Amino acid sequence: NVHNGGSFFGDPYDTCEPCAANCRMCDKAGPQKCDPGPDSCSGGFAFEADKCAPCSTNCGKCSSPGKCNPDQCRNGFFYVADPGKNEGTCDMCNDPHCNTCSDDKVGSCLRCSFFYDQVTGSCKISVVKVVVGVIMGLLSLGLCVACCRAGS
């Protein structure tokens, strides 16, 4: 017997044999292997020869090991397509506060991280967002203290 991802938690008889590492299903392929298919491997891995191999670094989903699917790069990275193919790799954005960018050039940021505003393709600290964040933090801390005192 094999089970989705191998031995399942809480099996009192532990009768299921494990699949290959990072594999979700091995009912057809058998233990220590992986069933073929686009969703057979965990995120960040792709099926290759009965196993799951890693995608390119900083990629969430790929169809081929060592590569990345379009729009699947993690925050702070952008997609670089392989010429003539529907796969590529992920490279780091130029701005450390940028979550989404079009390339590694200065001014290519499309979406910035929290507390930052996107201004002409770059991330600039937003004093308003910082002040609002501090006020919200203090308010929630004050509410917690008030709740704790009321319950005493």
Side-chain angles (χ1 to χ4, degrees):
N1 281 342
V2 290
H3 185 267
N4 180 6
S7 299
F8 66 94
F9 181 73
D11 179 1
Y13 305 105
D14 200 20
T15 58
C16 297
E17 296 182 57
C19 298
N22 302 299
C23 178
R24 293 183 178 150
M25 189 66 86
C26 59
D27 289 335
K28 294 177 185 138
Q32 300 302 321
K33 294 183 180 181
C34 196
D35 291 346
D39 295 320
S40 59
C41 297
S42 301
F45 292 85
F47 179 79
E48 180 181 57
D50 295 335
K51 304 276 185 215
C52 295
C55 299
S56 72
T57 305
N58 300 302
C59 178
K61 185 172 184 175
C62 62
S63 300
S64 308
K67 299 295 179 181
C68 194
N69 291 355
D71 299 320
Q72 294 297 319
C73 293
R74 299 190 197 287
N75 278 350
F77 294 83
F78 65 97
Y79 177 74
V80 179
D82 289 347
K85 297 186 177 178
N86 194 27
E87 61 184 10
T89 56
C90 300
D91 283 346
M92 187 181 287
C93 296
N94 181 286
D95 190 325
H97 304 291
C98 182
N99 282 347
T100 307
C101 62
S102 56
D103 57 41
D104 65 348
K105 294 175 181 57
V106 173
S108 66
C109 190
L110 304 172
R111 189 172 52 95
C112 299
S113 57
F114 198 67
F115 293 133
Y116 289 84
D117 284 327
Q118 191 265 7
V119 180
T120 61
S122 295
C123 297
K124 305 290 182 202
I125 190 82
S126 169
V127 175
V128 172
K129 287 181 180 178
V130 170
V131 169
V132 168
V134 168
I135 290 170
M136 295 303 289
L138 291 172
L139 285 174
S140 65
L141 179 63
L143 291 174
C144 290
V145 170
C147 290
C148 289
R149 286 183 184 155
S152 312

